[in-house]
Amino acid sequence: MDLNILIAGEAGQGLKTIETILGKTLFRMGFQIYTTRDYMSRIRGGHNFVKIRIGKGDITGPAEEIDVLLALNEEAISQHKQDLKEDGIIVLDGQIAREDIYQLINIPARKIANEVNSKALNTVFVGAVLKVLNLKIAEALKVIKEHFTDKKLQEDNMILLKEGFKKADGKFSLPKIEDNDEQLFIDGNSAVALGALAAGVKFFSAYPMSPSTGIMNYLAAKQKEQGIVVEQAEDEIAAINMTLGASYAGVRAMTATSGGGLALMAESVGLAGITETPLVIVDVQRPGPATGLPTRTEQGDLLFSINIAQGEFPLMVISPRDSEDAFYQTFRAFNLADKYQLPVILLSDQFLADSTTNINHYNLNSLKIETSLITDGESVKYEDYKRYQITEDGISPRAYPGQLSGEVVLVDSDEHDENGDIVESASARSNMVDKRMKKLVRIKQELKEPVFFGQEDINYLIIGWGSTYGPILEARKLLMEDGYKIGYLSFTDLWPLPEKRVKKIITPDIKVVVVENNATGQFAQLLKGQLGITSDYRMLKYNGRPFSGREIYQRMKEEVII
Amino acid sequence: MSKEDIYYSNQETAWCPGCGNFPLRKALAGALNELGLLPPQVAIFTGIGQAAKMLHYIRVNGFNGLHGRSIPPAIGSRIVNPTLKVLVESGDGCTYGEGGNHFLHNIRRNPDITHLVHNNQIYGLTKGQASPTTGEGMTTKIQTEGINSEPLNPIKLALSLGASFVARGFVGEEDHLRELIKSAIKHRGYALLDILQPCVSFNKVNTYQWYKQRVYKLADNYDDSDYNKALKKANEWGEQIPIGIFYRKEKKIFRDRFSQLDDRPLVEKEINPLGVKPFLLDFK
Ligand SMILES: Cc1ncc(C[n+]2csc(CCOP(=O)(O)OP(=O)(O)O)c2C)c(N)n1
Ligand code: SF4
């Protein structure tokens, strides 16, 4: 059993605080939690909401149907009442017209808060919701204590939490609480930032752009402790070029942005390609083109990322499937960039970036740093150092400036010879292109095949990539419960495209359905162009909102399994 | 082999015979030599253009990046490695045109880098279009009726933005230029050295001759700590063109603002994935 709380109001009403306190409290109590955020690109006003889905075990995405609607204003009700379940409850402050059709819990929150501290108004509601769920408040009091540094604010919030709790009635009973001591409660952006820290990122530069900014915020908060540098650049072009300079100097470097920023970085991704400078670039996708929908989600930058710069050079594109994967994939991206001396683009999106959920504790002991940088011990043997020495596998010895006592390191955006000096001869050009492209042989051996869920005798194969993972998994479960035989392939490595598993699974009698958060079926195009796999159906969504599991389930039944 | 020869590489250049880039290279090699900087200790960052090819003709570490983007990688390298002497070399088009935004913000940061602008008042590599410093009225294949915008005054711009070292040199005054380069490198902070460098192929107005008749050195008793005087001097252009250090001031450098950094290059700091363990508590 699971339960869905939706909290709606306008920007500036403190939805995020409710989400954090309630989410963390429920997580600590041992529930499986999935929170998603839907907000407008404005600082005050508008209509925003967060969803908190609670349950046990396999909650892997958001749900549409609402059990508890916490309405911070009138609009919250008009916008969401259609999703309220029959036995759903609205918690609000005040009366509304035609209340007979809803179960209402009217909490005089404003009045209560004004007597204590009007700034802590929302905590009254948090208390009320906990009561509605028939839970205790001890854990919430602890979370409040940690959340507010100001003593007075701490106390006022605790008082108001208790008040709110008293004013509501218990309505729901939740599944039995599980032990989740071995779990973390983390959002996609933080997971990427943490993965970068584990990988030893020493320089990060970016220009703020929603929904990627959370990555910079987390890294900036840790820079002192880690002794690393985070710099807000004057624009995206500066950001990526600064990181390239840092990478040239031998350290691990990363930048993050969203589509428009990535477009500005395009030429510089090519610079990383031709200079063979390792670099990790995170694109937290939002709907485009141009400014698009700044705070909403889409998987619209796949083909752009793959074809990001003029000319031809090897690069990798990886799209993490959830916050657990995002950590490991970011770590891996640094290793791949470093080992193969090329740019790696991580494709996240607003849905993943702004969703917080339970994941398994990261296994830090499993992480191993891999690099192609020559060690200081080895450095003595390089007498006639050539940055772009032609080698068997295309990977040249990489030194950083100042590392070799008598040698210099020269990198060049022009086509160059083994020394890094400009060349224009036909053969030198071909040789250098061949050298760079040769790396793909080894890269292909490193590709992660898509994860497969299913058995031998499937009738339908759903294919997805990146963040649609959780919702598709839920849809598959629902379809299986109805007796359908459904397989699911979840891709994270997108470029180069791993081909073994998908080719093996697809047989002529299986219907292939590609599910994507974009309007043109970009991954389906890739499957067709690269592997000759034709999809029987493309389930697309491009209204800026993420899929829910039930939605995919229903669309499968209406549009595919007719 | 003379001492300066250690900096020479690839003597067959793509520069036109008689180009002002040749004496500039000589002055640079001389300055590095006199400062006792060995090739591995120096890194030059360039953009794109004839000037930016310099690092192929001088033997130090080099990062030949993109048009207009010479400064950001220099900042990135310098901040993670305090032991490198970092120079930026680029044309007037690359620095003040395509790279204008980086130029502005770089001054605000005041990183410890030396910026040599080969100012030939023209786009050389793309064959003679106007640059931001080309004189008003000059005709080109594109500006057929003469350039319609006022030229940018880099000295005044840098001063007004608060640059900590602002100077102008001229390739026709090689010894003077060498000394200026040395001072710029020795300056702790961002040093802009705008260098008048005739383009013999495309700029038929600002020739060696033209500069020789106008250029004069700032007097020995010129006080380079006087900001207002510097601004006034920066306005001189035309019949009289001053060269020398206009202004110099010690300021906090970019790296000083990161209290977490010490004198060691960050590349020497070990990477340990287990180091993030305490951060996991943020998500409990
Ligand atoms: C993004 C981009 N735009 C345009 C060019 C073409 N381009 C190369 S060099 C140059 C101008 C160079 O002028 P300047 O910086 O003054 O250097 P010079 O050649 O005169 O030394 C231009 C426009 C380019 N390489 N990249
Ligand atoms: S085009 Fe002008 S600046 Fe370029 S090499 Fe020739 S003379 Fe020098």
Side-chain angles (χ1 to χ4, degrees), chain A residues 1-2 32-34 53 55-61 178 357 470 473-474 477 481:
Chain A
M1 183 232 167
D2 67 278
Q32 176 83 22
I33 306 298
Y34 202 102
R53 192 174 177 195
K56 56 185 282 188
D58 48 2
I59 287 191
T60 54
E178 293 176 350
T357 187
L473 210 58
E474 183 178 348
K477 198 181 82 184
E481 281 167 14

Side-chain angles (χ1 to χ4, degrees), chain B residues 34-250:
Chain B
E34 286 179 23
L35 290 174
L37 288 165
L38 295 172
Q41 298 171 320
V42 181
I44 296 184
F45 293 78
T46 65
I48 297 297
Q50 290 292 79
K53 287 182 180 160
M54 174 69 91
L55 60 77
H56 295 289
Y57 313 139
I58 197 151
R59 192 175 166 275
V60 296
N61 296 294
F63 183 105
N64 183 188
L66 297 173
H67 189 45
R69 318 298 167 201
S70 50
I71 294 174
I75 294 174
S77 279
R78 182 62 182 77
I79 194 134
V80 300
N81 189 346
T83 65
L84 267 187
K85 268 287 167 217
V86 171
L87 276 72
V88 166
E89 268 193 274
S90 223
D92 43 305
C94 197
T95 297
Y96 307 128
E98 187 92 50
N101 199 27
H102 308 313
F103 177 65
L104 297 185
H105 294 282
N106 168 61
I107 292 178
R108 291 175 50 229
R109 291 190 180 94
N110 195 34
D112 188 19
I113 63 178
T114 302
H115 189 175
L116 310 182
V117 183
H118 301 219
N119 187 351
N120 53 15
Q121 297 173 262
I122 200 83
Y123 282 6
L125 189 58
T126 47
K127 301 200 165 115
Q129 303 82 10
S131 94
T133 52
T134 312
E136 214 171 339
M138 189 197 278
T139 56
T140 75
K141 273 191 206 148
I142 294 173
Q143 292 81 19
T144 52
E145 311 231 312
I147 286 144
N148 46 22
S149 309
E150 284 180 29
L152 185 127
N153 179 336
I155 302 291
K156 202 168 152 184
L157 178 60
L159 282 170
S160 70
L161 291 168
S164 61
F165 181 108
V166 184
R168 180 190 285 138
F170 170 48
V171 295
E173 291 285 352
E174 220 180 283
D175 292 340
H176 182 253
L177 178 60
R178 189 177 61 245
E179 290 307 317
L180 283 179
I181 296 176
K182 275 162 62 182
S183 302
I185 293 176
K186 278 194 284 190
H187 175 72
R188 191 172 184 274
Y190 172 67
L192 172 70
L193 178 52
D194 189 70
I195 302 166
L196 304 173
Q197 171 248 318
C199 167
V200 295
S201 296
F202 298 112
N203 189 335
K204 305 294 186 195
V205 176
N206 311 102
T207 59
Y208 271 104
Q209 193 67 9
W210 188 90
Y211 284 123
K212 281 237 156 87
Q213 283 164 3
R214 291 165 170 81
V215 161
Y216 77 95
K217 293 175 197 150
L218 289 172
D220 282 344
N221 63 356
Y222 173 84
D223 177 7
D224 63 22
S225 68
D226 186 336
Y227 183 73
N228 290 323
K229 175 118 33 78
L231 271 178
K232 216 156 139 197
K233 278 282 165 201
N235 276 324
E236 270 184 42
W237 183 270
E239 293 313 304
Q240 291 274 315
I241 302 176
I243 59 172
I245 302 172
F246 284 67
Y247 184 69
R248 163 158 56 175
K249 187 184 178 182
E250 283 289 327

Side-chain angles (χ1 to χ4, degrees), chain A residues 15-24 35 37 50 52 356:
Chain A
L15 287 159
K16 198 166 177 258
T17 314
I18 306 185
E19 179 197 346
T20 308
I21 293 177
L22 204 52
K24 206 155 209 175
T35 76
R37 211 176 288 165
V50 296
I52 304 181
T356 312

